[in-house]
Amino acid sequence: MARLPPCRVAAYTRPFTHCGLDYFGPLEVVVGRRVEKRWGVLFVCQTTRAIHLEIAHQLNTSSCIMAIRNFASRRGTPAAFYSDRGTNFVGSCRELRETLKKVDENQVAAEFTTPSTSWVFNPPATPHMGGSWERLIRSVKRILPLLRISRRPTDEELRNAFAEIENTLNGRPLTYVPLDHDSRTALTPNHFLLGSSNGSKPLTDINSDGISLRRGWQVSQVIANQFWKRWIRDYLPEITRRSKWYEPVKPIEVDDIVIIVDPDLPRNCWPKGRVIKIITDGDGQVRRAWVKTKTSVYERPAVKIAVLDVGDNDTLDHHPLLKTRRMAEEPSLGGSLSSTGQGVEQ
């Protein structure tokens, strides 16, 4: 199992410095006498697990850019965006997958890629790499029916529902606190966004004196540091646990003969190819590779590539697995049996 990426353990950074992005929907709203579709845009802070929700009126490039600009205007511009590609929304509905093909992800990435901001796309067919935001989309969908809004709300009602869902999820506990321990509340994303789990602040006297302002700023910094210390002490050990994949395996190498695992392909269709390029992680493990088949070149994660046990002197036709499959597909072997019981080719 790989180490956590740096964006998940970036302590003492502004919330939403490392931001995951995903779509969900569609949601139907009433506009006059018409029924129109809206789409939710979820922004996830990879470090504090805070969320921000926006509404996209259409699924096109310009609407996506406006949603990101609305988010950046209120939360600040992230140092890095992380997202799936437009054709890789496996966990969403079919309509969303088909419509998102109209969004030019390269144009969106170019719009927001600057010397201080980068855009990182997950490799194709890797929905597990976006699990941090896919899980929160599930939470949003679970809370939405509980708000008891009308079956087809207006745009204003939907915007209000998104605000309430955002506050609810940002108030969820990140760490476990025993029930018999009442000295402090559990650490939540709202602690980093609002200063407390519910946004309440202690009342203080308003004083514009320079010394008071500097003292107040120092106090706020001390409180923020206390939140981060709790995050490091209580939350970080929970997400760094490793419960499987302790033993290393032989990594994928260039020129390996492999089969691409793709559940969307027809039954008994197993694309075979040769590895032409590999990408290693900081720990030396291969995380993705480029496979050349007879028809094209595919970029796939290591978990979707099965290496065949084929030696240098072997070919695909002599591999036991493929030979057995070929024999099963042929109606007859076209040979006869010798006295020793072995098949003799004619």
Side-chain angles (χ1 to χ4, degrees):
M1 183 175 289
R3 300 187 185 98
L4 286 173
C7 62
R8 294 295 309 279
V9 294
Y12 298 98
T13 58
R14 175 180 56 83
F16 295 103
T17 298
H18 302 275
C19 182
L21 168 65
D22 204 352
Y23 274 80
F24 64 94
L27 304 169
E28 292 185 343
V29 297
V30 177
V31 181
R33 295 184 178 182
R34 304 189 313 274
V35 176
E36 297 184 0
K37 293 181 180 179
R38 298 291 184 260
W39 310 85
V41 188
L42 175 73
F43 298 87
V44 180
C45 176
Q46 297 290 77
T47 306
T48 65
R49 310 297 294 137
I51 73 165
H52 178 93
L53 294 175
E54 290 287 341
I55 299 175
H57 285 228
Q58 296 179 358
L59 274 185
N60 53 35
T61 305
S62 61
S63 183
C64 179
I65 290 175
M66 284 190 290
I68 298 174
R69 286 193 179 278
N70 292 338
F71 157 77
S73 298
R74 285 185 282 176
R75 300 295 187 183
T77 303
F81 282 103
Y82 301 85
S83 70
D84 296 326
R85 294 189 179 272
T87 58
N88 193 31
F89 289 77
V90 179
S92 305
C93 67
R94 179 179 179 182
E95 182 179 0
L96 180 59
R97 293 199 304 269
E98 294 296 326
T99 314
L100 276 172
K101 294 178 181 178
K102 301 177 183 178
V103 178
D104 187 351
E105 64 266 14
N106 294 323
Q107 181 180 346
V108 175
E111 177 75 19
F112 296 97
T113 299
T114 65
S116 58
T117 304
S118 61
W119 197 296
V120 181
F121 284 114
N122 288 337
T126 55
H128 61 280
M129 290 189 177
S132 59
W133 50 76
E134 295 287 354
R135 179 60 183 86
L136 288 172
I137 285 179
R138 177 183 172 186
S139 299
V140 171
K141 291 181 177 179
R142 189 183 71 247
I143 296 176
L144 191 59
L146 301 179
L147 297 180
R148 297 181 181 179
I149 58 176
S150 57
R151 183 172 177 267
R152 287 175 178 169
T154 62
D155 278 320
E156 188 176 15
E157 291 173 339
L158 182 62
R159 186 167 57 251
N160 173 257
F162 273 23
E164 293 189 17
I165 292 173
E166 182 181 305
N167 183 64
T168 299
L169 289 180
N170 286 336
R172 73 191 188 281
L174 296 176
T175 57
Y176 171 75
V177 176
L179 296 177
D180 56 352
H181 193 293
D182 298 330
S183 61
R184 61 181 182 181
T185 60
L187 190 65
T188 67
N190 268 340
H191 279 92
F192 300 95
L193 298 176
L194 306 176
S196 63
S197 60
N198 57 4
S200 62
K201 307 272 193 315
L203 297 177
T204 58
D205 295 332
I206 299 178
N207 193 335
S208 60
D209 179 69
I211 297 178
S212 299
L213 292 177
R214 286 194 297 271
R215 185 179 296 114
W217 179 83
Q218 292 172 354
V219 170
S220 65
Q221 293 300 305
V222 170
I223 294 175
N225 288 338
Q226 290 176 351
F227 293 153
W228 279 114
K229 288 178 181 179
R230 288 185 57 188
W231 184 89
I232 293 174
R233 183 181 64 251
D234 300 336
Y235 179 64
L236 193 58
E238 294 184 5
I239 63 176
T240 55
R241 291 175 181 171
R242 293 295 177 267
S243 58
K244 56 183 177 180
W245 302 334
Y246 284 111
E247 298 296 331
V249 298
K250 181 181 179 296
I252 300 173
E253 298 177 349
V254 175
D255 291 334
D256 278 348
I257 305 299
V258 300
I259 287 179
I260 299 177
V261 180
D262 190 347
D264 295 330
L265 291 175
R267 187 176 61 179
N268 293 331
C269 181
W270 305 94
K272 299 178 290 294
R274 185 182 300 271
V275 177
I276 60 174
K277 182 182 177 182
I278 59 175
I279 299 295
T280 58
D281 205 352
D283 54 3
Q285 292 292 322
V286 176
R287 300 301 175 189
R288 51 179 168 161
W290 276 259
V291 180
K292 183 177 182 180
T293 64
K294 292 182 180 180
T295 59
S296 183
V297 176
Y298 297 90
E299 179 190 2
R300 289 294 182 267
V303 296
K304 296 293 181 68
I305 297 175
V307 180
L308 297 177
D309 188 14
V310 180
D312 295 335
N313 298 327
D314 295 332
T315 63
L316 288 176
D317 292 336
H318 289 85
H319 188 265
L321 174 63
L322 301 180
K323 185 176 180 181
T324 303
R325 179 177 161 216
R326 184 190 61 186
M327 293 171 61
E329 293 175 350
E330 294 178 356
S332 63
L333 295 178
S336 58
L337 292 178
S338 64
S339 58
T340 58
Q342 300 292 331
V344 180
E345 255 184 57
Q346 293 181 346

PDB file of all heavy atoms in Angstrom, residues 1-4 239-248 281 283 285 287:
ATOM      1  N   MET A   1       0.853  -1.194   0.000  1.00  0.00           N
ATOM      2  CA  MET A   1       0.000   0.000   0.000  1.00  0.00           C
ATOM      3  C   MET A   1       0.886   1.240   0.000  1.00  0.00           C
ATOM      4  O   MET A   1       1.864   1.321   0.740  1.00  0.00           O
ATOM      5  CB  MET A   1      -0.918  -0.016   1.225  1.00  0.00           C
ATOM      6  CG  MET A   1      -1.884   1.157   1.273  1.00  0.00           C
ATOM      7  SD  MET A   1      -3.036   1.050   2.639  1.00  0.00           S
ATOM      8  CE  MET A   1      -4.082  -0.277   2.106  1.00  0.00           C
ATOM      9  N   ALA A   2       0.506   2.217  -0.811  1.00  0.00           N
ATOM     10  CA  ALA A   2       1.311   3.425  -0.949  1.00  0.00           C
ATOM     11  C   ALA A   2       1.156   4.322   0.277  1.00  0.00           C
ATOM     12  O   ALA A   2       0.190   4.224   1.033  1.00  0.00           O
ATOM     13  CB  ALA A   2       0.894   4.183  -2.200  1.00  0.00           C
ATOM     14  N   ARG A   3       2.120   5.206   0.447  1.00  0.00           N
ATOM     15  CA  ARG A   3       2.000   6.219   1.486  1.00  0.00           C
ATOM     16  C   ARG A   3       0.907   7.199   1.102  1.00  0.00           C
ATOM     17  O   ARG A   3       0.528   7.337  -0.054  1.00  0.00           O
ATOM     18  CB  ARG A   3       3.319   6.963   1.645  1.00  0.00           C
ATOM     19  CG  ARG A   3       4.504   6.101   2.031  1.00  0.00           C
ATOM     20  CD  ARG A   3       5.699   7.002   2.328  1.00  0.00           C
ATOM     21  NE  ARG A   3       6.903   6.215   2.588  1.00  0.00           N
ATOM     22  CZ  ARG A   3       7.825   5.973   1.679  1.00  0.00           C
ATOM     23  NH1 ARG A   3       7.690   6.464   0.461  1.00  0.00           N
ATOM     24  NH2 ARG A   3       8.899   5.259   1.972  1.00  0.00           N
ATOM     25  N   LEU A   4       0.402   7.920   2.098  1.00  0.00           N
ATOM     26  CA  LEU A   4      -0.575   8.956   1.812  1.00  0.00           C
ATOM     27  C   LEU A   4       0.082  10.044   0.970  1.00  0.00           C
ATOM     28  O   LEU A   4       1.240  10.392   1.190  1.00  0.00           O
ATOM     29  CB  LEU A   4      -1.107   9.557   3.115  1.00  0.00           C
ATOM     30  CG  LEU A   4      -2.074   8.702   3.914  1.00  0.00           C
ATOM     31  CD1 LEU A   4      -2.377   9.371   5.246  1.00  0.00           C
ATOM     32  CD2 LEU A   4      -3.366   8.478   3.147  1.00  0.00           C
ATOM     33  N   ILE A 239      -5.564   8.020   9.770  1.00  0.00           N
ATOM     34  CA  ILE A 239      -5.553   7.881   8.313  1.00  0.00           C
ATOM     35  C   ILE A 239      -4.257   7.277   7.800  1.00  0.00           C
ATOM     36  O   ILE A 239      -4.169   6.941   6.622  1.00  0.00           O
ATOM     37  CB  ILE A 239      -5.804   9.241   7.631  1.00  0.00           C
ATOM     38  CG1 ILE A 239      -4.690  10.229   7.958  1.00  0.00           C
ATOM     39  CG2 ILE A 239      -7.148   9.798   8.033  1.00  0.00           C
ATOM     40  CD1 ILE A 239      -4.830  11.562   7.226  1.00  0.00           C
ATOM     41  N   THR A 240      -3.258   7.130   8.658  1.00  0.00           N
ATOM     42  CA  THR A 240      -1.993   6.526   8.213  1.00  0.00           C
ATOM     43  C   THR A 240      -1.914   5.039   8.534  1.00  0.00           C
ATOM     44  O   THR A 240      -0.880   4.420   8.297  1.00  0.00           O
ATOM     45  CB  THR A 240      -0.801   7.241   8.866  1.00  0.00           C
ATOM     46  OG1 THR A 240      -0.964   7.236  10.297  1.00  0.00           O
ATOM     47  CG2 THR A 240      -0.700   8.678   8.384  1.00  0.00           C
ATOM     48  N   ARG A 241      -2.971   4.458   9.084  1.00  0.00           N
ATOM     49  CA  ARG A 241      -2.951   3.027   9.363  1.00  0.00           C
ATOM     50  C   ARG A 241      -2.921   2.225   8.070  1.00  0.00           C
ATOM     51  O   ARG A 241      -3.540   2.594   7.081  1.00  0.00           O
ATOM     52  CB  ARG A 241      -4.179   2.625  10.180  1.00  0.00           C
ATOM     53  CG  ARG A 241      -4.171   3.172  11.595  1.00  0.00           C
ATOM     54  CD  ARG A 241      -5.470   2.830  12.301  1.00  0.00           C
ATOM     55  NE  ARG A 241      -5.517   3.356  13.653  1.00  0.00           N
ATOM     56  CZ  ARG A 241      -6.596   3.351  14.410  1.00  0.00           C
ATOM     57  NH1 ARG A 241      -7.725   2.840  13.938  1.00  0.00           N
ATOM     58  NH2 ARG A 241      -6.564   3.858  15.624  1.00  0.00           N
ATOM     59  N   ARG A 242      -2.225   1.100   8.095  1.00  0.00           N
ATOM     60  CA  ARG A 242      -2.153   0.215   6.940  1.00  0.00           C
ATOM     61  C   ARG A 242      -2.598  -1.168   7.380  1.00  0.00           C
ATOM     62  O   ARG A 242      -1.951  -1.791   8.228  1.00  0.00           O
ATOM     63  CB  ARG A 242      -0.718   0.162   6.394  1.00  0.00           C
ATOM     64  CG  ARG A 242      -0.243   1.478   5.796  1.00  0.00           C
ATOM     65  CD  ARG A 242      -1.067   1.814   4.553  1.00  0.00           C
ATOM     66  NE  ARG A 242      -0.705   3.104   3.987  1.00  0.00           N
ATOM     67  CZ  ARG A 242      -1.301   4.246   4.285  1.00  0.00           C
ATOM     68  NH1 ARG A 242      -2.281   4.262   5.165  1.00  0.00           N
ATOM     69  NH2 ARG A 242      -0.940   5.365   3.709  1.00  0.00           N
ATOM     70  N   SER A 243      -3.730  -1.612   6.825  1.00  0.00           N
ATOM     71  CA  SER A 243      -4.296  -2.893   7.247  1.00  0.00           C
ATOM     72  C   SER A 243      -4.115  -3.997   6.225  1.00  0.00           C
ATOM     73  O   SER A 243      -4.548  -5.114   6.462  1.00  0.00           O
ATOM     74  CB  SER A 243      -5.794  -2.708   7.545  1.00  0.00           C
ATOM     75  OG  SER A 243      -6.458  -2.217   6.392  1.00  0.00           O
ATOM     76  N   LYS A 244      -3.509  -3.716   5.068  1.00  0.00           N
ATOM     77  CA  LYS A 244      -3.317  -4.752   4.048  1.00  0.00           C
ATOM     78  C   LYS A 244      -2.176  -4.348   3.135  1.00  0.00           C
ATOM     79  O   LYS A 244      -1.657  -3.225   3.195  1.00  0.00           O
ATOM     80  CB  LYS A 244      -4.599  -4.969   3.247  1.00  0.00           C
ATOM     81  CG  LYS A 244      -5.145  -3.712   2.590  1.00  0.00           C
ATOM     82  CD  LYS A 244      -6.458  -4.006   1.890  1.00  0.00           C
ATOM     83  CE  LYS A 244      -7.057  -2.746   1.284  1.00  0.00           C
ATOM     84  NZ  LYS A 244      -8.322  -3.006   0.597  1.00  0.00           N
ATOM     85  N   TRP A 245      -1.774  -5.312   2.278  1.00  0.00           N
ATOM     86  CA  TRP A 245      -0.717  -5.088   1.287  1.00  0.00           C
ATOM     87  C   TRP A 245       0.592  -4.685   1.954  1.00  0.00           C
ATOM     88  O   TRP A 245       1.228  -3.703   1.607  1.00  0.00           O
ATOM     89  CB  TRP A 245      -1.136  -4.023   0.269  1.00  0.00           C
ATOM     90  CG  TRP A 245      -2.389  -4.367  -0.454  1.00  0.00           C
ATOM     91  CD1 TRP A 245      -2.891  -5.604  -0.694  1.00  0.00           C
ATOM     92  CD2 TRP A 245      -3.329  -3.443  -1.009  1.00  0.00           C
ATOM     93  NE1 TRP A 245      -4.070  -5.519  -1.376  1.00  0.00           N
ATOM     94  CE2 TRP A 245      -4.367  -4.223  -1.583  1.00  0.00           C
ATOM     95  CE3 TRP A 245      -3.382  -2.061  -1.082  1.00  0.00           C
ATOM     96  CZ2 TRP A 245      -5.451  -3.628  -2.213  1.00  0.00           C
ATOM     97  CZ3 TRP A 245      -4.471  -1.480  -1.716  1.00  0.00           C
ATOM     98  CH2 TRP A 245      -5.486  -2.256  -2.267  1.00  0.00           C
ATOM     99  N   TYR A 246       1.005  -5.484   2.935  1.00  0.00           N
ATOM    100  CA  TYR A 246       2.278  -5.212   3.597  1.00  0.00           C
ATOM    101  C   TYR A 246       3.459  -5.721   2.766  1.00  0.00           C
ATOM    102  O   TYR A 246       4.510  -5.102   2.707  1.00  0.00           O
ATOM    103  CB  TYR A 246       2.315  -5.886   4.977  1.00  0.00           C
ATOM    104  CG  TYR A 246       1.503  -5.176   6.029  1.00  0.00           C
ATOM    105  CD1 TYR A 246       0.349  -5.741   6.543  1.00  0.00           C
ATOM    106  CD2 TYR A 246       1.891  -3.941   6.507  1.00  0.00           C
ATOM    107  CE1 TYR A 246      -0.405  -5.095   7.504  1.00  0.00           C
ATOM    108  CE2 TYR A 246       1.159  -3.273   7.470  1.00  0.00           C
ATOM    109  CZ  TYR A 246       0.019  -3.859   7.969  1.00  0.00           C
ATOM    110  OH  TYR A 246      -0.717  -3.205   8.920  1.00  0.00           O
ATOM    111  N   GLU A 247       3.290  -6.905   2.175  1.00  0.00           N
ATOM    112  CA  GLU A 247       4.397  -7.544   1.479  1.00  0.00           C
ATOM    113  C   GLU A 247       4.553  -6.975   0.070  1.00  0.00           C
ATOM    114  O   GLU A 247       3.588  -6.894  -0.686  1.00  0.00           O
ATOM    115  CB  GLU A 247       4.160  -9.068   1.392  1.00  0.00           C
ATOM    116  CG  GLU A 247       4.085  -9.751   2.738  1.00  0.00           C
ATOM    117  CD  GLU A 247       5.395  -9.657   3.499  1.00  0.00           C
ATOM    118  OE1 GLU A 247       6.459  -9.593   2.835  1.00  0.00           O
ATOM    119  OE2 GLU A 247       5.352  -9.643   4.742  1.00  0.00           O
ATOM    120  N   PRO A 248       5.762  -6.564  -0.306  1.00  0.00           N
ATOM    121  CA  PRO A 248       5.969  -6.063  -1.675  1.00  0.00           C
ATOM    122  C   PRO A 248       5.919  -7.197  -2.689  1.00  0.00           C
ATOM    123  O   PRO A 248       6.238  -8.344  -2.384  1.00  0.00           O
ATOM    124  CB  PRO A 248       7.376  -5.441  -1.609  1.00  0.00           C
ATOM    125  CG  PRO A 248       8.060  -6.183  -0.499  1.00  0.00           C
ATOM    126  CD  PRO A 248       6.987  -6.516   0.505  1.00  0.00           C
ATOM    127  N   ASP A 281       6.263   5.513  -7.976  1.00  0.00           N
ATOM    128  CA  ASP A 281       5.971   6.430  -6.887  1.00  0.00           C
ATOM    129  C   ASP A 281       7.250   6.718  -6.107  1.00  0.00           C
ATOM    130  O   ASP A 281       8.317   6.206  -6.429  1.00  0.00           O
ATOM    131  CB  ASP A 281       4.901   5.819  -5.980  1.00  0.00           C
ATOM    132  CG  ASP A 281       4.131   6.875  -5.225  1.00  0.00           C
ATOM    133  OD1 ASP A 281       4.527   8.045  -5.299  1.00  0.00           O
ATOM    134  OD2 ASP A 281       3.137   6.534  -4.561  1.00  0.00           O
ATOM    135  N   ASP A 283       8.069   5.627  -3.303  1.00  0.00           N
ATOM    136  CA  ASP A 283       8.564   4.437  -2.628  1.00  0.00           C
ATOM    137  C   ASP A 283       9.101   3.393  -3.603  1.00  0.00           C
ATOM    138  O   ASP A 283       9.430   2.280  -3.194  1.00  0.00           O
ATOM    139  CB  ASP A 283       7.463   3.811  -1.771  1.00  0.00           C
ATOM    140  CG  ASP A 283       6.193   3.533  -2.573  1.00  0.00           C
ATOM    141  OD1 ASP A 283       6.206   3.788  -3.799  1.00  0.00           O
ATOM    142  OD2 ASP A 283       5.215   3.074  -1.983  1.00  0.00           O
ATOM    143  N   GLN A 285       7.476   1.852  -5.984  1.00  0.00           N
ATOM    144  CA  GLN A 285       6.460   0.962  -6.526  1.00  0.00           C
ATOM    145  C   GLN A 285       5.847   1.562  -7.789  1.00  0.00           C
ATOM    146  O   GLN A 285       5.667   2.777  -7.889  1.00  0.00           O
ATOM    147  CB  GLN A 285       5.359   0.726  -5.490  1.00  0.00           C
ATOM    148  CG  GLN A 285       5.810  -0.085  -4.284  1.00  0.00           C
ATOM    149  CD  GLN A 285       6.129  -1.519  -4.648  1.00  0.00           C
ATOM    150  OE1 GLN A 285       5.454  -2.117  -5.470  1.00  0.00           O
ATOM    151  NE2 GLN A 285       7.156  -2.072  -4.035  1.00  0.00           N
ATOM    152  N   ARG A 287       2.927   2.554 -10.005  1.00  0.00           N
ATOM    153  CA  ARG A 287       1.529   2.882  -9.760  1.00  0.00           C
ATOM    154  C   ARG A 287       0.692   2.909 -11.035  1.00  0.00           C
ATOM    155  O   ARG A 287      -0.505   2.697 -10.998  1.00  0.00           O
ATOM    156  CB  ARG A 287       1.421   4.234  -9.052  1.00  0.00           C
ATOM    157  CG  ARG A 287       2.135   4.259  -7.716  1.00  0.00           C
ATOM    158  CD  ARG A 287       1.591   3.209  -6.775  1.00  0.00           C
ATOM    159  NE  ARG A 287       2.353   3.153  -5.519  1.00  0.00           N
ATOM    160  CZ  ARG A 287       2.196   2.215  -4.607  1.00  0.00           C
ATOM    161  NH1 ARG A 287       1.310   1.253  -4.800  1.00  0.00           N
ATOM    162  NH2 ARG A 287       2.924   2.221  -3.505  1.00  0.00           N
TER     163      ARG A 287
END
